[in-house]
Amino acid sequence: MKRSRLNCLCGVLAAISLSGCSSLGVKPWQRDVLAREDMQLDSNPLDAAIDEHMYFSKEASSGGRSYAGGGCGCN
């Protein structure tokens, strides 16, 4: 009796966990909404390029904001 309940519980948990991944990804009819200019990660690419240049110049290391630490070796 306990074994059948455990098997049933494992089956239900497996079905629930597998169904959680069924809706991943962007549907073709949603791509036009996500491709709008106001939905981009950096809505103003010129400002992002200027910020990246400032961080690159201040840190004296390649990568700008994407790398931690500076060129002085203090971090």
Side-chain angles (χ1 to χ4, degrees):
M1 184 77 172
K2 288 183 182 182
R3 189 124 180 124
S4 66
R5 284 187 182 182
L6 182 63
N7 286 341
C8 181
L9 180 64
C10 287
V12 168
L13 288 176
I16 289 172
S17 65
L18 289 175
S19 68
C21 299
S22 64
S23 65
L24 295 178
V26 178
K27 306 291 188 261
W29 55 88
Q30 295 171 330
R31 291 176 193 250
D32 64 337
V33 175
L34 296 175
R36 291 189 334 222
E37 189 174 336
D38 59 338
M39 295 292 287
Q40 302 302 314
L41 291 176
D42 54 350
S43 59
N44 194 345
L46 183 60
D47 282 344
I50 291 171
D51 288 341
E52 187 71 29
H53 179 71
M54 283 191 293
Y55 283 114
F56 174 76
S57 299
K58 286 181 180 180
E59 293 294 328
S61 62
S62 64
R65 291 184 283 177
S66 60
Y67 295 106
C72 62
C74 56
N75 289 335

